[in-house]
Amino acid sequence: MQTIAQALADAAATLATADSTVDAQVLLAHVRGCTRAYLRAFPELTLTPAERGTYDTLIRQRATGVPVAYLCQEREFWSLPLTVTPAVLVPRPDTETLVECSLTLLQGLATPQVLDLGTGSGAIGLALAHERGDASITLLDTCEAALKVALGNAAKLKLGNIKGVHSDWFSALTTTDTFDLIASNPPYLAQNDPHLCGDSLPHEPRLALVSGPTGLEALSLIIQLAYRHLRPNGWLALEHGAEQGPAVRQLLQTAGFLAIRTTRDLGGHERVTQGRANS
C-alpha cells in the first residue's frame, strides 16, 4: 500500500515542473476529498487501490499539460469556487485586475446594468454580481457550452441577479440593450503567439484565446461596436496582453472614448484599459 507521502513524491517526480509539488497535492486532495493541509498533517495514511488508480490517471493527464482545473473541474476566482470544463478558459489571477477596475467604475452607481462580454466560465460577471447585489449582470458568450457553464456557476453560487445571452459578440443585442459597464476579457493572442505552445494553453479553447493574425482583432471589434450599447458616460473595460496597452489606448481614443486609463496587474504588466463613452 502506498502512503500519501510516497504518492506525492512519486507524482512530483513524474511531473517535474516548477509547480509539480502543488499540482500533486491539489490532485490528491481532489481524489481523497480533503484539503492539502490534511495531506501534510497525515502523510503516513495509505491510499486505497481505487484512489491510487484514479490519482495515477490524473497525474498522467497533468503530465501531458491538461490544466489542473480541468482535472478537478473547479477553479477558485475572486474567492468563488467556479466549475470549469474544456469549453471555457481556466480563470487566471490576472483577470481579477479587471474585476477590481470594474468595481471602481461602478462606485456611486445604483442598480447598474453590466455586460460580461465573452463570459466563458462567468468569472468576471459572477464576481461583480457577488460584490454588487444591486447590479443586473448579463453574461454573454458565442459558445453555448461555455454559457451553460457560466449559468451553472451562477446557480451554484445562488446569484439571482444574472441572465445569459447566446450571441456572437453584440449581434443578438438590440439597440435597447444598453449598459453602464461593459467588461470583457476577449481573445487577444495572435495566431503565432509562442504562448500557445506552453503548458495548458494547447488544451484550452482556441476560440477564446486567439483573435487573429495580430491579436488585436477582437479588441478592435469590441471597441468599434461598444458605443451603441453603452449608456451616456458608460464605461468599457478590457483585459489585454501585456504589450497591447498602447494599441488599445489608441483604438479607444480613435473611437471617441474619454478618460482612457490602463491598470497594471500584480506582476506589473499593463493588463486592463478602460474608457468612458462621450455623453
Side-chain angles (χ1 to χ4, degrees):
M1 300 291 284
Q2 191 177 44
T3 66
I4 286 174
Q6 292 168 337
L8 290 173
D10 290 349
T14 298
L15 297 177
T17 65
D19 298 322
S20 59
T21 298
V22 173
D23 289 352
Q25 291 176 353
V26 169
L27 290 172
L28 187 54
H30 172 68
V31 170
R32 289 184 61 92
C34 66
T35 64
R36 290 168 58 198
Y38 181 91
L39 298 178
R40 293 191 293 268
F42 302 101
E44 74 284 359
L45 296 182
T46 57
L47 276 61
T48 68
E51 287 174 338
R52 175 160 184 187
T54 300
Y55 188 52
D56 288 346
T57 297
L58 293 178
I59 292 299
R60 286 195 297 272
Q61 291 176 304
R62 179 64 190 125
T64 68
V66 179
V68 171
Y70 288 166
L71 297 175
C72 295
Q73 298 185 346
E74 186 172 282
R75 179 62 174 258
E76 183 178 286
F77 180 86
W78 202 259
S79 299
L80 301 174
L82 300 179
T83 296
V84 295
T85 76
V88 303
L89 288 182
V90 176
R92 288 168 168 78
D94 287 346
T95 301
E96 293 192 352
T97 305
L98 178 54
V99 175
E100 292 168 355
C101 290
S102 297
L103 288 171
T104 299
L105 296 175
L106 293 175
Q107 287 178 357
L109 285 175
T111 63
Q113 298 284 330
V114 178
L115 174 63
D116 178 3
L117 185 65
T119 190
S121 65
I124 298 163
L126 299 180
L128 296 176
H130 183 264
E131 297 295 329
R132 290 293 305 265
D134 64 323
S136 295
I137 312 289
T138 299
L139 308 178
L140 183 154
D141 207 286
T142 188
C143 174
E144 287 188 271
L147 189 59
K148 183 178 180 181
V149 172
L151 294 176
N153 278 324
K156 180 175 72 172
L157 296 170
K158 297 180 170 58
L159 296 170
N161 51 337
I162 297 288
K163 76 171 183 178
V165 174
H166 178 228
S167 177
D168 182 10
W169 299 121
F170 298 102
S171 63
L173 300 181
T174 69
T175 55
T176 61
D177 294 317
T178 58
F179 304 90
D180 298 294
L181 168 70
I182 298 174
S184 183
N185 175 20
Y188 55 73
L189 295 183
Q191 291 173 348
N192 60 351
D193 193 301
H195 292 97
L196 291 168
C197 299
D199 183 47
S200 86
L201 287 188
H203 298 269
E204 298 187 59
R206 192 173 180 87
L207 180 67
L209 290 167
V210 177
S211 179
T214 71
L216 289 168
E217 288 78 7
L219 288 159
S220 178
L221 179 66
I222 292 168
I223 291 169
Q224 291 174 37
L225 299 179
Y227 242 105
R228 68 189 68 174
H229 296 288
L230 283 170
R231 294 177 172 181
N233 297 312
W235 289 93
L236 176 62
L238 299 165
E239 179 173 335
H240 51 72
E243 298 178 355
Q244 292 175 324
V248 174
R249 289 191 290 274
Q250 183 60 57
L251 287 168
L252 286 167
Q253 183 177 358
T254 301
F257 282 86
L258 305 175
I260 298 167
R261 177 175 178 244
T262 298
T263 301
R264 295 179 181 270
D265 60 26
L266 291 177
H269 302 111
E270 292 194 330
R271 185 61 59 190
V272 175
T273 298
Q274 66 197 43
R276 177 171 54 79
N278 192 335
S279 59

